[in-house]
Amino acid sequence: MGKNIAYLGLGVMGGPMARHLAAAGHTLTVYNRTAEKAVAWVAAHGGRAAPTPAAAATGADVVIACVGADADLEAVTLGPDGAFAAMAPGALFIDHTTVSAAIARRLATEGETRGLHVVDAPVSGGQAGAENGKLTIMVGGSEAAFAAAEPVMQAYAQRIGHMGPAGSGQLTKMVNQLCIAGILQGLSEGLALGLKAGLDMDAVVDVISKGAAQSWQMDNRAKTMTRGQFDFGFAVDWMRKDLGLALDEARRLGVPLPMGALVDQFYADVQSMGGARQDTSSLIRRLAR
């Protein structure tokens, strides 16, 4: 049976995810900080637009957020017009924002006092994954909250994993982003060497992608990296935010992350080169000049 769902945040990820929910038969009330975007979404997909997170959450079985950062998430949940105050006991809150583990745990604790189910559920797969309903979702929260959230998230996921208690989803996303950063730096260096040596890089990628060097980034980005094409969704600005979260958590835990810190600074170089909104494969721009 379809649920009444409030969706908060209709950016490049949230908009498509909300669309998949509507297509799955749920009734959507949407909120976006830029109200015109919510109005346009409703015109295209149905449902209704609400002026505040609290208005969207009133009467909702499920409230889902996909906003920008910790402060944005706090505003739409616990702010003066936040969703939590309007949610009824037993309702479910799903957060798809990539944020700190600290705020994920805070929202879980706050939700528990209000009788809410809360999960932190950051996603991987980028804009294409959201558009195609093929996201990987890493979930933190109680067993009961995960059981309530999983059927809802299946509308736009190809893989959903319960990673542990509150905050575990966000911690898993930090691991994910560090791994991506390292792979992209290695790929950038290898491709830059091949380009400088005058190799046929399409031929190089075709060969090495069949061996131990193979990765998703190589399969999907290597050839476009050699052509200087960097318009594939997940932006450098967002990666720096995510790496910042991972580095902050590592400092708290006393874990050295020399590669993560170095690649974060390399992405700062790309930002200074005008690449803030280019996708993360633009890391090669520092090398292939």
Side-chain angles (χ1 to χ4, degrees), residues 41-262:
W41 190 95
V42 169
H45 307 295
R48 69 181 184 89
T52 66
T58 301
D61 304 307
V62 183
V63 177
I64 304 176
C66 189
V67 290
D70 283 32
D72 305 301
L73 180 60
E74 182 176 14
V76 300
T77 54
L78 303 177
D81 294 312
F84 272 29
M87 294 173 68
L92 167 67
F93 178 73
I94 300 171
D95 175 36
H96 287 313
T97 317
T98 297
V99 289
S100 69
I103 195 170
R105 296 185 185 109
R106 179 184 170 196
L107 291 181
T109 300
E110 181 67 27
E112 186 176 3
T113 66
R114 298 171 182 267
L116 307 177
H117 295 298
V118 176
V119 295
D120 53 288
V123 303
S124 182
Q127 184 175 353
E131 293 284 357
N132 297 321
K134 300 294 184 181
L135 292 168
T136 295
I137 306 179
M138 311 148 230
V139 186
S142 69
E143 292 283 355
F146 176 74
E150 185 177 23
V152 177
M153 298 186 295
Q154 284 173 344
Y156 42 80
Q158 67 175 353
R159 175 76 172 90
I160 303 171
H162 186 202
M163 312 315 299
S168 300
Q170 297 298 344
L171 292 169
T172 303
K173 180 64 180 286
M174 294 174 200
V175 173
N176 184 77
Q177 300 304 77
L178 286 165
C179 292
I180 290 172
I183 290 168
L184 278 170
Q185 178 60 21
L187 182 58
S188 295
E189 292 182 11
L191 295 177
L193 176 63
L195 286 167
K196 195 70 173 180
L199 294 175
D200 179 339
M201 292 310 296
D202 283 356
V204 170
V205 171
D206 285 341
V207 169
I208 68 174
S209 64
K210 305 304 188 292
Q214 185 275 338
S215 68
W216 186 96
Q217 298 294 340
M218 180 176 287
D219 290 347
N220 290 275
R221 296 289 180 265
K223 292 183 179 180
T224 53
M225 289 167 73
T226 63
R227 293 169 173 78
Q229 299 169 357
F230 308 115
D231 188 23
F232 297 98
F234 193 75
V236 168
D237 279 349
W238 303 336
M239 177 58 104
R240 287 213 70 205
K241 183 204 80 171
D242 292 358
L243 288 175
L245 292 169
L247 292 167
D248 286 345
E249 189 69 25
R251 281 189 286 270
R252 189 183 72 81
L253 296 172
V255 178
L257 298 180
M259 181 279 298
L262 188 61

